[in-house]
Amino acid sequence: MQQNSTATEFILLGLTQDPERQKMVFVIVFIFYVGTLVGNLLIIVTIKSSWTLGSPMYFFLFFLSLADTCFSTSTAPRLIVDALSAKKIISYSECMTQVFALHFFGCMEVFVLILMAVDRYVAICKPLRYPTIMSRQVCIILITLAWIGSFMHSMAQIIPALRLPFCGPNLIDRYCCDLQPLLKLACMDTYAINLLWVTNSGAICSSGFVILMTSYILILHSLQNHSAEARKKALSTCTSHVIVVVLTFGPCVFIYTRPPTTFPMDKMVAVFYTIGTPFLNPIIYTLRNAEVKNAMRKLWHVKITSENKR
């Protein structure tokens, strides 16, 4: 990375400066991160190993769990280590890498949620054409476009960040590097760059949320013509999706669709967005999805049986 800056490192202030509270942060974040890894990796292994979970919905759920795992990993390990450190120093290159990873996997999560909503819409509203519209080839093309779109979004964010000059204070009042805190440290007029970032991230968050809510409204409207059992099954699936959408897009819209202002709740919203949501997603999908739970039971039953035979 070529930097347009005299800064070689930044100091993260973290969530708190109190030593006792830092220990609490360490314990809580460590538990959440381990839970995120276990939950999402369990879903990934289950979907990969089970032939009953071969539908497009689980194809996209696989990539949502993968994105959640990587998204949480872009911030949680650093926060865990820093919670036990007196001085939380992050190099310029590490900071920019974290910004790129945060936006890449966060954007990937948004795109996968949109694809999951499209899949449910086609399955419920156009059931006869579903196998043709959501074929395996189409799903692979859609997920490839999601990866490409995420990469383009992250590049649009990181390239202006690499050109920011940092010639003054290097204190970041966050637990991770992100665009808004970096703007405050830049020794130049950042109005145009901030406008670009807000437009980019804000458009993805806002338009994604509108698309998702519209698709679920159309799904609910179409359920009037279905049987009571079909409505119950569709509502159960869609309820899980809507909960995840609200948990993901609420903090996303709050953080990335406003001018460069600071609120006292910013840190807690960011923690919930980067640590809490990836932890809750696998719980929501497994607790409310009988097929995933049954596949997990079968998977572990087979493994335990094979181990006993040995």
Side-chain angles (χ1 to χ4, degrees), residues 56-103:
M57 181 174 74
Y58 298 111
F59 175 80
F60 294 131
L61 179 57
F62 172 90
F63 284 99
L64 179 65
S65 294
L66 180 62
D68 275 336
T69 302
C70 297
F71 183 59
S72 182
T73 301
S74 67
T75 57
R78 179 88 207 184
L79 179 55
I80 291 169
V81 173
D82 284 347
L84 300 179
S85 304
K87 202 170 186 181
K88 307 165 182 61
I89 298 175
I90 184 170
S91 69
Y92 180 92
S93 297
E94 287 176 319
C95 181
M96 294 303 161
T97 301
Q98 189 175 60
V99 171
F100 180 85
L102 191 68
H103 284 267

Side-chain angles (χ1 to χ4, degrees), residues 164-238:
L164 289 175
F166 300 105
C167 48
N170 64 344
L171 295 175
I172 298 178
D173 190 18
R174 291 286 180 91
Y175 64 91
C176 67
C177 284
D178 204 355
L179 301 173
Q180 295 290 1
L182 288 174
L183 279 179
K184 293 184 178 181
L185 301 181
C187 46
M188 63 172 287
D189 183 4
T190 58
Y191 176 81
I193 295 178
N194 179 70
L195 186 62
L196 171 65
W197 282 343
V198 170
T199 302
N200 190 342
S201 297
I204 291 175
C205 291
S206 302
S207 60
F209 184 74
V210 170
I211 291 170
L212 286 162
M213 288 296 100
T214 302
S215 67
Y216 288 120
I217 290 171
L218 292 174
I219 289 172
L220 291 175
H221 179 72
S222 69
L223 288 176
Q224 297 175 359
N225 302 323
H226 290 66
S227 64
E229 185 177 350
R231 282 200 299 269
K232 183 179 178 181
K233 185 178 180 180
L235 284 172
S236 177
T237 302
C238 291

Side-chain angles (χ1 to χ4, degrees), residues 46 290 292-304:
T46 301
V292 174
K293 287 189 289 186
N294 291 334
M296 285 182 179
R297 291 192 193 102
K298 290 178 182 178
L299 175 65
W300 290 110
H301 176 72
V302 169
K303 287 192 173 183
I304 292 172

Side-chain angles (χ1 to χ4, degrees), residues 18-124:
D18 184 89
E20 293 302 318
R21 290 184 178 179
Q22 284 187 351
K23 293 177 183 177
M24 291 177 58
V25 168
F26 170 82
V27 173
I28 294 172
V29 175
F30 180 80
I31 293 172
F32 269 69
Y33 181 57
V34 171
T36 298
L37 292 181
V38 172
N40 283 294
L41 291 177
L42 184 58
I43 289 179
I44 289 171
V45 172
T46 301
I47 292 174
K48 267 295 183 185
S49 306
S50 177
W51 61 269
T52 60
L53 303 180
S55 67
M57 181 174 74
Y58 298 111
F59 175 80
F60 294 131
L61 179 57
F62 172 90
F63 284 99
L64 179 65
S65 294
L66 180 62
D68 275 336
T69 302
C70 297
F71 183 59
S72 182
T73 301
S74 67
T75 57
R78 179 88 207 184
L79 179 55
I80 291 169
V81 173
D82 284 347
L84 300 179
S85 304
K87 202 170 186 181
K88 307 165 182 61
I89 298 175
I90 184 170
S91 69
Y92 180 92
S93 297
E94 287 176 319
C95 181
M96 294 303 161
T97 301
Q98 189 175 60
V99 171
F100 180 85
L102 191 68
H103 284 267
F104 180 80
F105 293 111
C107 186
M108 184 64 189
E109 187 174 347
V110 169
F111 286 153
V112 173
L113 286 172
I114 293 174
L115 293 179
M116 292 177 75
V118 171
D119 172 70
R120 289 301 84 204
Y121 170 77
V122 177
I124 295 171

Side-chain angles (χ1 to χ4, degrees), residues 246-267:
V246 173
L247 292 176
T248 301
F249 281 86
C252 176
V253 171
F254 177 80
I255 294 173
Y256 294 113
T257 59
R258 69 172 202 245
T261 53
T262 303
F263 296 105
M265 65 182 74
D266 281 355
K267 287 185 181 181

